[in-house]
């Protein structure tokens, strides 16, 4: 049964009125509660009546007066009190379709759920939504919504998503825009498919919806070695990346002149592959697209530079850092800056090649424990190993404290295999020097 209350917070309104664990929430103000969105919206009012079913079958009507928006203090099982809606597309770039067999079941689930977009930042394609779903977003002001656009060309979008209903994305976004719903857009870019003039068209179409569509992130397709039976696609070369940067720069200059910000931003991979300089921090406007890999390098670099002044110069220590191939030069440079500031510190940096998915996958977030152990076995000379937190996954089937890698290996597995203490740091580098200070030793 859904809507079962799994936790009642101490000293909360819910505890005060007699709500208990294993009670079931039926309705608020006579409105049936289907999921967390209903609950969040309807429970915000100052005067509400909850209908609760007790484990013995008794039905309680509980009247509550509170401040607007004040939390009741109850938690439900699962993030949305319901099953997530699965994706009905067969996108030509889908990473899940490129996973090998034998991984844990939850990695193969493709969600396409606007509730998870609002609550967790997941992206939706809008192809899985009925008109009443759009109505509900507008009625409840579910905003912002993260939308996987990829292209605004209807025929091309149908082809890319392999869904005959995928062509109306711009029409649906226009409706949301007209109602004042904020949207973030993502484009997974594929050479010779939706790049070049198609990319330009998509960006210009989305810009017409500014400021409701207030930013666009462009990321290159990731290709694993497990694409058997899937459409053949290419990755971005140095030349292709540079062409895309130059084309988008022209649009960004136009947008800067008109609205004072670039509107569209490319992920770091384009700049690194092209050998181009990463834009400065101001360009990224608070790094709101960092989860898409947009601005991670600049954020990391600036965090190291700004924190060098707090590096403890009276302590010594030795550490190992690991990174995927894409960020290796940046991490190596950061290590050199730290050691230059305090020569009593020793840092080894290892580039981990992604043998699990194939060497075309170069980002930190897709490394596996098996590759790390295999490539570091017998090579670590330090007591500590730094690993970025985005190397770990937290599945909905896991407890909040559980962190596992894509191949199900844990921190404990890595520590035992390599005889090292793992220190997990923020992938943006914001806590790296603080952690070095923490694990440094007083000089004798």
């Amino acid at each position: 049964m859904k809507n079962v209350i799994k936790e009642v917070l101490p000293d909360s309104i819910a505890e005060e009125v007699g709500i208990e664990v294993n009670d079931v929430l039926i309705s608020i103000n006579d409105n049936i509660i289907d999921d967390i969105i209903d609950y969040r919206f309807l429970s915000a009012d100052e005067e509400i009546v909850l209908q609760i079913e007790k484990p013995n079958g008794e039905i309680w009507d509980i009247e509550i007066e509170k401040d607007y928006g004040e939390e009741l203090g109850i938690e439900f099982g699962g993030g949305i009190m319901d099953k997530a809606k699965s994706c009905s597309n067969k996108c030509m770039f889908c990473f899940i379709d490129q996973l090998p067999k034998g991984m844990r079941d939850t990695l193969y689930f493709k969600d396409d759920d606007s509730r998870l977009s609002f609550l967790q930042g997941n992206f939706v394609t809008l192809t899985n939504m009925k008109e009443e779903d759009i109505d509900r977003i507008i009625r409840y002001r579910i905003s912002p919504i993260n939308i996987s656009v990829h292209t605004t060309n209807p025929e091309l979008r149908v082809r890319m998503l392999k869904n005959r209903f995928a062509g109306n994305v711009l029409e649906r976004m226009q409706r949301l825009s007209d109602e004042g719903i904020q949207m973030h857009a993502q484009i997974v870019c594929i050479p010779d498919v939706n790049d070049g003039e198609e990319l330009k068209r998509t960006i210009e179409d989305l810009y017409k919806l500014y400021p409701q569509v207030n930013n666009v992130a462009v990321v290159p397709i990731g290709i694993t070695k497990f694409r058997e039976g899937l459409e053949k696609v290419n990755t971005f070369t140095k030349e292709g990346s540079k062409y895309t940067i130059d084309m988008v720069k022209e649009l960004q200059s136009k947008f800067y002149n008109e609205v004072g910000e670039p509107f569209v931003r490319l992920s770091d991979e384009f700049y690194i592959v092209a050998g181009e300089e990463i834009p400065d921090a101001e360009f990224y406007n608070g790094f709101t697209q960092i989860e898409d890999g947009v601005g991670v390098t600049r954020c990391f670099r600036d965090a190291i530079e700004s924190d060098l002044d707090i590096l403890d110069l009276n302590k010594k220590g030795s550490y190992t850092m690991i990174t995927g191939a894409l960020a290796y030069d940046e991490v190596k440079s950061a290590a050199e800056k730290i050691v230059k500031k305090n020569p009593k510190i020793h840092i080894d940096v290892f580039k981990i090649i992604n043998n699990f998915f194939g060497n075309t996958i170069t980002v930190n977030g897709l490394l596996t424990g098996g590759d790390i152990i295999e490539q570091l076995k017998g090579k670590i000379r330090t007591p500590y190993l730094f690993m970025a937190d985005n190397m770990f996954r937290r599945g909905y089937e896991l407890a909040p404290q559980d962190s596992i890698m894509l191949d199900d290996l844990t921190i404990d597995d890595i520590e035992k295999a390599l005889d090292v203490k793992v220190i997990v740091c923020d992938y943006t580098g914001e806590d790296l020097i603080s952690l070095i200070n923490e694990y440094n030793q007083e000089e004798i």
Side-chain angles (χ1 to χ4, degrees):
M1 181 182 293
K2 66 180 183 179
N3 303 355
V4 176
I5 295 170
K6 296 296 185 181
E7 183 179 2
V8 177
L9 301 182
D11 302 318
S12 64
I13 294 173
E15 183 181 65
E16 181 181 337
V17 298
I19 296 174
E20 299 173 302
V21 171
N22 292 325
D23 288 351
V24 176
L25 174 63
I26 298 173
S27 67
I28 299 178
N29 292 342
D30 294 326
N31 294 286
I32 298 299
I33 304 301
D34 286 327
D35 59 24
I36 194 67
I37 300 299
D38 286 336
Y39 170 73
R40 291 250 183 124
F41 179 81
L42 295 169
S43 67
D45 287 345
E46 296 171 334
E47 297 182 4
I48 58 176
V49 177
L50 305 184
Q51 189 172 78
I52 296 288
E53 181 179 351
K54 290 291 183 175
N56 64 4
E58 288 185 4
I59 303 296
W60 288 16
D61 289 328
I62 304 173
E63 297 183 10
I64 296 174
E65 293 185 8
K66 62 181 184 61
D67 293 335
Y68 183 83
E70 185 178 1
E71 296 282 351
L72 297 178
I74 56 181
E75 301 288 344
F76 302 90
I80 55 176
M81 300 164 59
D82 192 9
K83 290 183 179 179
K85 295 180 180 179
S86 60
C87 182
S88 57
N89 305 313
K90 296 289 183 182
C91 300
M92 61 194 303
F93 49 81
C94 179
F95 196 84
I96 294 175
D97 288 341
Q98 300 179 74
L99 294 177
K101 296 179 180 178
M103 304 180 78
R104 68 179 185 274
D105 289 345
T106 51
L107 291 176
Y108 298 101
F109 179 73
K110 307 178 192 178
D111 78 77
D112 197 11
D113 198 314
S114 60
R115 298 167 300 181
L116 291 176
S117 177
F118 176 63
L119 295 170
Q120 300 178 8
N122 297 16
F123 279 85
V124 294
T125 63
L126 301 184
T127 61
N128 199 35
M129 302 177 71
K130 301 176 182 178
E131 285 305 309
E132 50 263 38
D133 295 320
I134 300 290
D135 291 339
R136 189 165 181 251
I137 288 173
I138 294 168
R139 182 171 72 254
Y140 284 173
R141 314 305 299 170
I142 300 173
S143 182
I145 294 290
N146 296 326
I147 302 176
S148 290
V149 178
H150 312 308
T151 178
T152 53
N153 179 333
E155 293 78 16
L156 179 58
R157 196 167 194 262
V158 167
R159 176 195 159 199
M160 290 183 68
L161 274 61
K162 293 183 171 55
N163 185 326
R164 62 191 177 94
F165 301 109
N168 65 348
V169 65
L170 198 57
E171 176 186 331
R172 287 192 153 185
M173 292 179 73
Q174 180 69 64
R175 185 178 171 204
L176 292 172
S177 175
D178 290 344
E179 297 292 342
I181 301 299
Q182 291 287 305
M183 293 165 277
H184 306 313
Q186 179 197 68
I187 299 169
V188 175
C189 201
I190 309 174
D192 305 317
V193 177
N194 63 332
D195 64 339
E197 288 302 312
E198 287 291 351
L199 177 60
K200 183 177 181 181
R201 165 185 170 161
T202 298
I203 294 169
E204 289 179 329
D205 281 346
L206 293 174
Y207 180 64
K208 294 172 185 175
L209 302 180
Y210 182 87
Q212 274 63 51
V213 174
N214 51 36
N215 62 66
V216 177
V218 182
V219 302
I221 184 173
I223 298 177
T224 80
K225 63 184 181 182
F226 301 102
R227 281 192 65 88
E228 295 88 351
L230 301 178
E231 185 173 347
K232 180 175 173 56
V233 292
N234 299 314
T235 56
F236 275 92
T237 62
K238 179 176 182 177
E239 293 73 20
S241 296
K242 189 175 188 315
Y243 174 85
T244 301
I245 292 170
D246 291 342
M247 184 199 73
V248 171
K249 271 184 180 178
E250 292 185 13
L251 293 173
Q252 289 167 337
S253 295
K254 173 178 178 288
F255 302 150
Y256 258 124
N257 290 334
E258 294 178 357
V259 297
E261 67 119 76
F263 179 65
V264 58
R265 298 172 180 86
L266 302 173
S267 74
D268 294 8
E269 190 168 345
F270 283 101
Y271 296 98
I272 295 171
V273 171
E276 297 273 327
E277 181 56 41
I278 299 289
D280 59 23
E282 183 180 1
F283 173 84
Y284 293 106
N285 192 24
F287 298 97
T288 56
Q289 299 161 298
I290 200 165
E291 296 293 336
D292 273 320
V294 177
V296 177
T297 304
R298 172 56 62 190
C299 189
F300 180 84
R301 188 181 301 174
D302 287 359
I304 299 301
E305 291 283 359
S306 64
D307 285 356
L308 277 175
D309 287 342
I310 68 170
L311 182 65
D312 193 330
L313 305 182
N314 298 315
K315 293 183 178 180
K316 62 180 182 178
S318 58
Y319 310 91
T320 297
M321 295 180 182
I322 57 173
T323 176
L326 187 70
Y328 175 76
D329 289 341
E330 194 67 34
V331 175
K332 182 73 172 174
S333 175
E336 289 170 352
K337 291 174 183 176
I338 293 168
V339 171
K340 183 178 179 181
K341 183 76 173 181
N342 181 358
K344 296 190 260 323
I345 292 175
H346 173 83
I347 301 176
D348 291 326
V349 181
F350 288 94
K351 180 193 302 182
I352 304 298
I353 303 302
N354 200 322
N355 295 323
F356 185 89
F357 287 115
N359 59 18
T360 53
I361 301 298
T362 59
V363 296
N364 275 351
L366 295 174
L367 291 176
T368 60
D371 278 342
I372 291 168
I373 291 171
E374 179 185 359
Q375 295 174 46
L376 293 186
K377 194 78 170 179
K379 295 181 180 178
I380 293 185
R381 303 177 295 164
T382 70
Y384 301 113
L385 170 65
F386 275 108
M387 296 180 66
D389 60 359
N390 65 343
M391 295 180 185
F392 299 94
R393 289 291 182 270
R394 291 182 175 87
Y396 65 79
E397 80 283 16
L398 303 172
Q401 70 272 17
D402 291 335
S403 294
I404 63 176
M405 303 201 73
L406 285 169
D407 57 355
D408 289 350
L409 293 187
T410 65
I411 291 173
D412 189 52
D413 294 328
I414 294 168
E415 289 182 333
K416 288 178 179 177
L418 298 176
D419 190 25
V420 70
K421 167 68 177 175
V422 170
I423 305 171
V424 179
C425 63
D426 193 290
Y427 70 99
T428 63
E430 291 186 4
D431 59 356
L432 179 59
I433 289 180
S434 295
L435 288 168
I436 288 175
N437 285 340
E438 180 180 342
Y439 286 91
N440 267 348
Q441 300 172 343
E442 291 287 351
E443 188 175 17
I444 299 175

